[in-house]
């Protein structure tokens, strides 16, 4: 893989040329900033910026004004290759808080093992209706210890409005959800994104995460997508590297609001 070329296409297609990630969301382009505005349960934030030292502070103030004027908390998704070099410090000074850094990783679907099966006694079930979404959300809440209300809202909305752009799957053991993940497909681009992969603590280390990656990679291959991308945590990065993913940059969420 040509890492620089893949990163350039990623920035062009998914950030500067971003599309709304669900019904009710819209993309706004304001100067050298691209942002998404959604309802309170959707993702609100800055996707791309092309700033320098002369205009960064003004652009930061403009985003704060825009989102707070709508009554929205929001995220500035800052990548390691974004400028200016001190943009993270400027965001902190403006009242943002930084969340843990993740690694932007990309793989070519054609180079991945697509036949990895879940361990014995575990089955993967696609979520195509409300009952399936409930399984995904239950596994997500157990794995991450977070409230899945927003996830449920977004998945149900996507499945109702544009089911061809999302793949959600739960792993079940004795009928109980023990892991879940989703994939968001971006029509008109070569990219499909892996999101939300998580396994409850008692079931980690058994190969379920790898099986969920393979399940989604097969779906991406069937639909003709070239690349999978993922924001990898420190826990998942080594697994993804072994599967054939390449680190291209870092990404750190800077959050404004509660």
């Amino acid at each position: 893989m040509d890492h620089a070329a893949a990163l350039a296409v990623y920035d062009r297609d998914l950030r500067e040329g971003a599309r709304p990630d669900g019904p009710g969301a819209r993309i706004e382009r304001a100067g050298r900033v691209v942002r998404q505005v959604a309802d309170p349960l959707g993702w609100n934030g800055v996707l791309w910026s092309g700033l320098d030292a002369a205009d960064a502070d003004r652009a930061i103030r403009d985003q704060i004004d825009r989102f707070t004027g709508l009554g929205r908390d929001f995220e500035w998704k800052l990548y390691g290759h974004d400028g200016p070099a001190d943009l993270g410090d400027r965001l902190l000074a403006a009242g943002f808080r930084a969340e843990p850094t993740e690694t932007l990783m990309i793989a070519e679907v054609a180079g991945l093992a697509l036949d990895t099966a879940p361990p014995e006694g575990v089955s993967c079930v696609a979520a195509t209706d409300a009952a399936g979404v409930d399984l995904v959300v239950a596994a997500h809440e157990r794995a991450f210890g977070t409230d899945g209300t927003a996830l449920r809202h977004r998945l149900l909305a996507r499945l109702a409005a544009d089911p061809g752009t999302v793949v959600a799957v739960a792993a079940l053991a004795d009928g109980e959800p023990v892991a879940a993940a989703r994939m968001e497909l971006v029509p008109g681009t070569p990219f499909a994104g892996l999101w939300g992969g998580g396994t409850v603590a008692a079931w980690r280390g058994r190969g379920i995460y790898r099986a969920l990656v393979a399940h989604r990679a097969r779906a991406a291959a069937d639909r003709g997508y070239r690349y999978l991308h993922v924001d990898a945590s420190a826990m998942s990065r080594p697994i993804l590297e072994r599967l054939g993913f390449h680190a291209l940059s870092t990404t750190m969420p800077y959050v404004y609001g509660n």
Side-chain angles (χ1 to χ4, degrees), residues 94-165:
F96 289 76
R97 68 179 187 276
E99 296 195 342
T101 301
E102 296 180 315
T103 303
L104 170 64
M105 305 188 78
I106 290 181
E108 294 198 65
V109 174
L112 297 174
L114 303 181
D115 58 353
T116 303
E120 185 176 355
V122 176
S123 59
C124 293
V125 178
T128 58
D129 56 19
V133 168
D134 285 344
L135 292 174
V136 169
V137 171
H140 186 275
E141 290 180 332
R142 292 176 63 195
F144 295 107
T146 56
D147 183 2
T149 300
L151 174 61
R152 178 182 285 105
H153 168 80
R154 294 176 66 185
L155 280 177
L156 289 173
R158 287 282 285 269
L159 288 170
D162 201 353
T165 65

Side-chain angles (χ1 to χ4, degrees), residues 46-98:
V46 173
L47 291 156
W48 175 86
S49 64
L51 305 174
D52 57 30
D55 61 5
D57 290 335
R58 174 60 183 271
I60 291 170
R61 290 195 299 271
D62 288 347
Q63 307 322 304
I64 294 172
D65 290 345
R66 174 61 175 150
F67 284 103
T68 57
L70 294 169
R72 301 283 191 272
D73 299 340
F74 74 104
E75 174 186 319
W76 191 303
K77 195 171 175 64
L78 180 65
Y79 289 76
H81 58 286
D82 290 345
D86 65 347
L87 183 52
D89 292 335
R90 293 171 186 262
L91 291 168
L92 293 174
F96 289 76
R97 68 179 187 276

Side-chain angles (χ1 to χ4, degrees), residues 151-247:
L151 174 61
R152 178 182 285 105
H153 168 80
R154 294 176 66 185
L155 280 177
L156 289 173
R158 287 282 285 269
L159 288 170
D162 201 353
T165 65
V166 63
V167 172
V169 57
L172 306 184
D174 295 326
E176 292 296 319
V178 297
R182 71 185 191 277
M183 177 172 66
E184 297 181 2
L185 306 119
V186 187
T189 81
F191 290 101
L194 304 186
W195 301 98
T199 305
V200 301
W203 285 87
R204 291 172 188 161
R206 305 191 194 190
I208 298 176
Y209 183 91
R210 294 191 299 275
L212 291 177
V213 171
H215 179 99
R216 291 173 289 170
R218 288 193 298 272
D222 290 344
R223 291 160 173 80
Y225 283 83
R226 179 178 179 183
Y227 296 112
L228 293 179
H229 70 91
V230 58
D231 294 345
S233 68
M235 180 183 297
S236 59
R237 175 174 174 168
I239 302 171
L240 291 165
E241 286 177 332
R242 291 193 293 272
L243 295 178
F245 284 75
H246 302 264

